[in-house]
Structures are given as structure tokens and as C-alpha cells.
Amino acid sequence: MAEDMFLFWGSGSPPCWRAMIALEEKGLQGYKNKLLSFEKGEHKQPEVLEVNPRGQLPAFRHGEKKVNESLAICMYLESQFKSRGTQLIPDKAADQALVYQRAFEGLVLQQKLVDLLMYARHVPEEERQETTMKRNMEAASAEAQLWEGHVQEGSCLAGKDFTMADVVVYPVVALMFRLGLSTEKYPKLSQYNDFLKDRPSIKATYPPHWLESPPTSDLLKSL
């Protein structure tokens, strides 16, 4: 089963991390995998392009089947192994609705963060437009405040049970706090981050370079 799976991934990437959390939650430990360096451009190697022509991570193969978008990987695993491990999509329609809503909303949070990070990291400081940086920061701030309102104390994102919503969103929240998001300004998100950080699936897949080195950026300190 898991021995027929192969995952190309990168450390610290929320899309990669969520795929790995899903694999753990479904009890599919033992899958083959290869850690690649974004900095060295290893995600553009031929072996990755053969699975994902876009040269993006994660790139996932299960036997002859190829699935690459991270949410698609998570949904595929839940569909194919529904009775195995953690049930990530509940049966009741009302519960499903909230899980799907939060999971897909999580991709919006991720994109706001990506827009901010890519501009700050890849546009030379002397070429940055103050208005663009301000607009990206304001958009990310508004989205973070929305999520602060979503979180309930001592709970997962869609209720008491860990679901696909948490698989998708937790890695983004964890990255935001690593980048300096204020625990005082976002106490509920901070509590959510602490609430899940010791979950076995999250600890088992924690980005290795985060364990080895402290944060190198406080970009979100003023968010």
C-alpha cells in the first residue's frame, strides 16, 4: 500500500507539509520520499518533472497514478483510504460543509501569505514599490484577522475533531508564527497553533530545517 507511494517534497513548504500530515493521519507511514532543496532548484529536476511537469512540490505518485496539487493529494488519500486512520471528511452534511469551507478558505490564506513573501523575498529592496508592499501587507492582515475570528478556544477549525480543514490550514498558520506573527495580536490563532503542534502527525512531519535552525525573518511582526 504505502510502499507503492512516492512523494517529492520540500522542507517548510505548507503544501508539502499538508500532504505529509494527510499521509500520517491515514496511517500510510512507510511511503517512499525524497527531500529536495528549493534553493538549489532541485524541484526542477527531470525526475520531478516526470511526475509534475510544472516542477512544483509536492509531487506525488501512487503506483501509476500521479497527483500533484496538495489539496488534491489530501482529498485523494481520504477518498481512497476513507476507512483507514483518521476520518478527515465527516459524514454529516452540515459538518462536511464547514470542513470544505475552511479547507478551501485555507488556500486563500496561503495565497495572501505567498503574495507578501514572494514580493518581499524576490524583488530587490531598491526596486520595491511602497504601495505594493503596503497593499500586500494589508491584504494578509485582513485575512489573518478573519481567521482569528474563525478559531474557537480548545478546538480544531471545524469543531472538536481534527479534519481536512486542519490538514490544510495548520501548516500555513505555523509558518506565519515562524515569520513573526504576533501572539498578542492574534491570541486565538496562537492558541490554535499551540493546540495542534504536538499532534503525532504534525510532530512526525515537522519541517526538519525548522528544528535545526531558528527563524531568520520577522516579516509578519507588524501584521
Side-chain angles (χ1 to χ4, degrees):
M1 195 177 297
E3 61 271 15
D4 294 329
M5 299 176 178
F6 197 102
L7 180 73
F8 291 103
W9 61 286
S11 179
S13 156
C16 294
W17 195 2
R18 71 172 58 108
M20 298 171 78
I21 292 172
L23 284 159
E24 289 286 327
E25 291 289 340
K26 300 311 293 183
L28 295 168
Q29 298 89 346
Y31 60 91
K32 300 180 180 69
N33 69 91
K34 186 173 184 179
L35 172 61
L36 300 175
S37 168
F38 291 109
E39 289 74 16
K40 296 177 182 178
E42 292 176 347
H43 55 301
K44 300 298 184 182
Q45 293 177 351
E47 61 179 343
V48 179
L49 295 174
E50 192 275 326
V51 180
N52 185 350
R54 288 191 173 91
Q56 297 173 340
L57 301 179
F60 178 74
R61 185 176 65 242
H62 179 203
E64 297 301 316
K65 299 176 286 292
K66 301 172 184 176
V67 191
N68 295 304
E69 293 298 324
S70 63
L71 184 52
I73 294 171
C74 296
M75 298 295 286
Y76 170 81
L77 293 171
E78 175 64 12
S79 175
Q80 294 301 305
F81 304 98
K82 187 173 179 62
S83 62
R84 184 184 178 97
T86 306
Q87 183 177 356
L88 297 173
I89 303 293
D91 294 323
K92 293 183 179 179
D95 296 335
Q96 280 188 15
L98 182 56
V99 168
Y100 284 133
Q101 178 64 35
R102 292 290 181 262
F104 282 85
E105 272 188 296
L107 301 182
V108 178
L109 176 64
Q110 176 179 292
Q111 190 57 54
K112 300 295 185 184
L113 180 59
V114 167
D115 291 344
L116 180 59
L117 287 177
M118 291 301 100
Y119 192 79
R121 288 181 174 179
H122 296 291
V123 176
E125 190 169 355
E126 64 275 10
E127 297 179 18
R128 292 178 200 161
Q129 298 293 319
E130 183 178 344
T131 54
T132 302
M133 194 67 185
K134 181 181 178 183
R135 183 171 62 249
N136 288 344
M137 189 69 78
E138 288 175 346
S141 176
E143 188 66 24
Q145 289 170 22
L146 185 65
W147 283 91
E148 177 71 9
H150 284 339
V151 176
Q152 301 298 317
E153 184 176 352
S155 175
C156 293
L157 281 178
K160 63 182 180 62
D161 295 326
F162 186 88
T163 68
M164 188 66 74
D166 303 291
V167 172
V168 173
V169 177
Y170 178 81
V172 182
V173 172
L175 176 59
M176 293 175 74
F177 281 106
R178 181 171 171 83
L179 293 174
L181 190 68
S182 170
T183 58
E184 294 182 1
K185 188 173 180 180
Y186 299 95
K188 291 182 180 179
L189 278 174
S190 177
Q191 194 172 60
Y192 171 73
N193 184 44
D194 290 340
F195 180 66
L196 287 183
K197 67 181 182 181
D198 290 326
R199 188 174 177 87
S201 65
I202 289 171
K203 289 185 71 173
T205 56
Y206 205 78
H209 82 278
W210 289 13
L211 294 171
E212 296 164 1
S213 60
T216 57
S217 171
D218 60 355
L219 178 65
L220 302 187
K221 186 177 181 179
S222 61
L223 198 65

